[in-house]
Amino acid sequence: MPSRHLGSFSNPLENILTDQAIIETRNLSYSYPGEISALSGVDLDIRPGEFLAIVGSNGSGKTTLVKHFNGLLKPSQGHVRIDGLDTRSTRVSELSRIVGFVFQNPDHQIFAYSVWEEASFGLKLHKLSAEAVEQQTSEALRAVSLYALRDRHPRALSRGQRQRLATASILALNTPVLVLDEPTTGQDFLSRRQIMELAVELHAAGRTVLMVTHDMALVAEYATRVIVMREGAAICDATPKEVFENDEVLESTGLDLPPVAKIARGLRAYGISETTLTQSELVETLITALRH
Amino acid sequence: MSALEPVVTVEELTFFYSGAKEPALNNINLTFQRGEIALLIGATGAGKSTLYMCLNGLIPHLVPGRVGGRVLIDGSATSDQSISELAQKVGFVFQSPDVQLFSHTVREELAFGPENLGLPKSEILRRIQLAANTIGINQLLEREPAYLSGGQQQSVAIGAIWAMLPEILILDEPTSNLDPQSSARVLELIRSLNKEHGKTVLIAEHKIDAAAQFADSVLVMHEGTIAMQGEPRHIFSQAGELHELGLVAPAAAEVAYQLSKYGYTFDRWPLTPEDAVQAFGELL
């Protein structure tokens, strides 16, 4: 995806050029009304510029955790601070300027009558000038290749296109943090690649990207840090390579190694010691070994 | 697969949606053998959904448009059979189970299809029990589908179709919303319905790493046509062609494809990580 489309997104960090956590949770616990605990004692520091994956089986607390980052949920105990603001005493509208949240199912998010209206809705709420709304909406729609379809009704889009529209409407807000909940579910290979290339570009331009996902190939390929959730607790905080080498964590959470890491593990018997994370890494490792 | 016996035959099938200038399906010829698992892959918009609708009779019976050619299910044309006759032969499981499930209990969900076939009460009760036993959801019968996990919901959705006793099951990305463990369980269930009950299965998946290994055949759709078809090892050894269609092979086959560019060859093209360890181990 051409980077010229990301012009005004290039410096979202101008106000937070510190090493201080942009998201901080302390002893975060949460129980849904009438239910047992969904999160217990989560301590996390997420710094600007991280590309973080949050993984774990269904019901492990991933989505409950990230919903605390834009104030959709407030802690039952403990604290969540977003760019220093305690989420308990900060309006959701304020937090939504910092953390943009792209939902898994675009249809839970999309409601407007045209692509343009949908993508610009949040900006209008932020009371920006008409000119800024125009510019940020155009750039967001171009970034997801939907600008040409700006007058369409969202219902006339394919599921993959609606997912990209949901992403655009959050991109337009130009938030320093982006949360992507299962960004590639139900997407074919090309859309998956397009979504992830966009995430990589936004990350390179200085955004903090958090993705919640079951797709370990995605984690292996893109994340710089992984938080593994189990029964409401963050049980592991490490690099993808460290997680995929940690048998105890893998077994206790039922996480599946990405196929490439599985192959590399099987090849240990043949003298390959590297835990490779991507296909090209594995090919390179094999070619090097074969030539010796 | 036992003796070859075509259960679905598609002959020169072309379909234009009402008002469309381009065909959604363009001269498709296909055969599914009884008891086969066929994996259908293709980019979004390749025509997969339109093909399903031709197989379960929504086309030509309900969806407006222009049809050429014909589809035979068990030897008779879909155009000569009613939707409810076809519903007993071809079961369709949606991608998101929550689209399909609407009852207050799993029991009602399983009863819905047989009730609509106008079956006597005793037969409806038998079908509910049969589906619950086969799918392994007996313990969920009184639960409300909305409160089940994603994997359980998908099992209930398959059970509701199973209660109609179709010969052919079509599953549209049945694991796309599930975590790896639930995905593995649903795929295992599908495989057992095929192996133990001889049902013919057509499954569409974007996550091909898991599905590739148990398919008997692979169909690749592209712009309304069947671009490639054959055995999984054959299809997935052609990663270059798949890339041109906007598709990929399973990771093991992709890595083998990259190695083949360096002159390495494989007698048996790897599809799974286990295959790959063996094939690459032999090279080392």
Side-chain angles (χ1 to χ4, degrees):
Chain A
M1 202 159 300
S3 58
R4 63 179 184 278
H5 293 151
L6 301 173
S8 75
F9 298 151
S10 58
N11 197 8
L13 294 180
E14 52 198 348
N15 299 321
I16 19 169
L17 282 175
T18 70
D19 202 29
Q20 216 179 339
I22 188 159
I23 295 177
E24 180 189 301
T25 75
R26 287 295 173 271
N27 192 31
L28 165 61
S29 299
Y30 183 80
S31 304
Y32 286 99
E35 289 197 22
I36 45 163
S37 146
L39 285 179
S40 53
V42 176
D43 290 312
L44 276 182
D45 282 302
I46 300 169
R47 297 202 159 68
E50 291 201 272
F51 200 131
L52 187 85
I54 301 174
V55 305
S57 57
N58 288 343
S60 61
K62 304 184 298 285
T63 302
T64 307
L65 175 63
V66 295
K67 280 183 175 170
H68 280 85
F69 298 164
N70 65 351
L72 278 183
L73 295 177
K74 312 277 183 183
S76 307
Q77 278 174 45
H79 290 277
V80 176
R81 287 187 197 88
I82 304 298
D83 199 15
L85 301 168
D86 192 309
T87 60
R88 271 216 202 83
S89 49
T90 312
R91 289 158 169 265
V92 172
S93 60
E94 186 76 16
L95 296 170
S96 72
R97 290 169 191 264
I98 307 168
V99 179
F101 202 112
V102 183
F103 288 93
Q104 179 179 347
N105 184 342
D107 300 329
H108 292 168
Q109 186 179 329
I110 293 173
F111 59 90
Y113 296 104
S114 76
V115 166
W116 180 271
E117 203 189 332
E118 181 67 42
S120 61
F121 181 78
L123 284 174
K124 287 178 188 154
L125 287 188
H126 284 192
K127 301 197 176 74
L128 291 181
S129 70
E131 205 177 39
V133 170
E134 174 85 23
Q135 191 195 341
Q136 285 178 229
T137 306
S138 305
E139 286 188 5
L141 286 175
R142 287 203 172 98
V144 299
S145 310
L146 284 180
Y147 186 72
L149 303 180
R150 60 193 178 278
D151 296 326
R152 282 265 178 101
H153 194 290
R155 293 225 179 276
L157 302 180
S158 72
R159 155 109 194 186
Q161 288 170 331
R162 291 202 302 277
Q163 180 89 40
R164 284 187 275 139
L165 173 56
T167 308
S169 60
I170 302 303
L171 275 188
L173 301 174
N174 207 0
T175 56
V177 180
L178 273 176
V179 179
L180 310 171
D181 190 5
E182 289 289 358
T184 60
T185 294
Q187 301 283 334
D188 66 13
F189 171 70
L190 288 180
S191 321
R192 175 185 191 272
R193 193 168 67 185
Q194 190 184 18
I195 290 168
M196 291 318 294
E197 278 176 0
L198 178 59
V200 165
E201 265 200 56
L202 293 164
H203 177 246
R207 306 247 201 150
T208 308
V209 178
L210 277 61
M211 59 176 181
V212 174
T213 186
H214 291 307
D215 184 341
M216 291 303 126
L218 218 57
V219 173
E221 226 168 303
Y222 297 102
T224 54
R225 177 182 168 195
V226 186
I227 307 289
V228 183
M229 300 293 296
R230 191 189 65 196
E231 294 170 9
I235 61 153
C236 179
D237 180 347
T239 65
K241 195 166 281 197
E242 286 162 347
V243 170
F244 296 138
E245 286 174 348
N246 190 330
D247 291 341
E248 207 182 310
V249 165
L250 294 173
E251 267 167 42
S252 75
T253 53
L255 287 181
D256 215 10
L257 280 178
V260 166
K262 249 185 225 172
I263 297 171
R265 180 169 283 226
L267 289 172
R268 280 181 190 171
Y270 300 89
I272 301 282
S273 56
E274 189 79 2
T275 299
T276 51
L277 296 180
T278 63
Q279 291 180 10
S280 50
E281 254 180 65
L282 177 58
V283 171
E284 206 175 302
T285 305
L286 282 167
I287 291 296
T288 309
L290 287 166
R291 285 183 175 163
H292 281 298
Chain B
M1 232 183 302
S2 49
L4 294 186
E5 180 196 348
V7 62
V8 176
T9 307
V10 176
E11 292 172 351
E12 296 175 359
L13 178 66
T14 296
F15 183 73
F16 290 81
Y17 283 99
S18 185
K21 291 198 174 62
E22 298 295 321
L25 296 177
N26 191 358
N27 194 29
I28 293 204
N29 291 286
L30 279 179
T31 306
F32 295 131
Q33 308 299 338
R34 192 178 302 279
E36 168 179 28
I37 299 190
L39 170 63
L40 177 60
I41 60 176
T44 305
K48 289 175 291 184
S49 306
T50 310
L51 180 61
Y52 308 145
M53 290 193 278
C54 290
L55 297 179
N56 69 6
L58 289 183
I59 296 174
H61 292 293
L62 283 178
V63 177
R66 189 152 49 88
V67 189
R70 59 181 194 159
V71 177
L72 305 175
I73 304 286
D74 257 347
S76 39
T78 51
S79 52
D80 300 336
Q81 304 178 65
S82 69
I83 292 260
S84 88
E85 279 176 285
L86 285 165
Q88 297 176 63
K89 296 179 179 171
V90 183
F92 182 76
V93 179
F94 289 88
Q95 179 178 355
S96 307
D98 50 344
V99 174
Q100 185 181 331
L101 304 175
F102 56 88
S103 304
H104 291 300
T105 65
V106 169
R107 183 185 297 283
E108 287 172 39
E109 197 65 54
L110 299 185
F112 182 78
E115 278 171 359
N116 277 281
L117 297 177
L119 295 173
K121 191 175 175 201
S122 59
E123 178 62 12
I124 293 172
L125 293 175
R126 192 183 77 86
R127 297 283 187 97
I128 292 171
Q129 207 48 58
L130 184 74
N133 290 342
T134 310
I135 308 297
I137 49 175
N138 253 315
Q139 74 289 1
L140 302 180
L141 280 176
E142 310 312 325
R143 301 273 299 276
E144 185 168 348
Y147 294 107
L148 299 176
S149 75
Q152 289 171 328
Q153 286 185 347
Q154 193 59 278
S155 297
V156 172
I158 295 172
I161 299 304
W162 193 256
M164 317 263 280
L165 299 178
E167 269 312 302
I168 302 152
L169 279 173
I170 302 177
L171 301 116
D172 185 23
E173 295 182 43
T175 70
S176 76
N177 293 313
L178 304 181
D179 66 22
Q181 289 153 299
S182 315
S183 299
R185 275 197 292 273
V186 167
L187 288 178
E188 195 42 54
L189 170 64
I190 293 166
R191 195 190 340 215
S192 80
L193 295 178
N194 167 263
K195 290 284 169 279
E196 287 160 32
H197 300 269
K199 301 297 176 184
T200 308
V201 174
L202 176 63
I203 178 170
E205 265 295 346
H206 289 311
K207 294 192 289 190
I208 49 170
D209 275 278
Q213 52 189 300
F214 69 75
D216 298 305
S217 63
V218 178
L219 293 169
V220 182
M221 287 195 77
H222 181 67
E223 294 179 353
T225 64
I226 302 290
M228 300 164 79
Q229 60 178 315
E231 291 182 358
R233 271 182 221 284
H234 176 64
I235 298 296
F236 292 126
S237 68
Q238 304 172 65
E241 282 84 344
L242 290 170
H243 296 170
E244 277 173 27
L245 304 177
L247 301 169
V248 284
E254 287 286 341
V255 172
Y257 171 68
Q258 293 303 327
L259 291 175
S260 73
K261 290 183 180 169
Y262 292 88
Y264 297 101
T265 54
F266 304 95
D267 294 338
R268 189 168 173 271
W269 202 268
L271 285 186
T272 65
E274 294 73 23
D275 291 348
V277 169
Q278 199 186 340
F280 305 157
E282 277 168 20
L283 294 178
L284 292 162

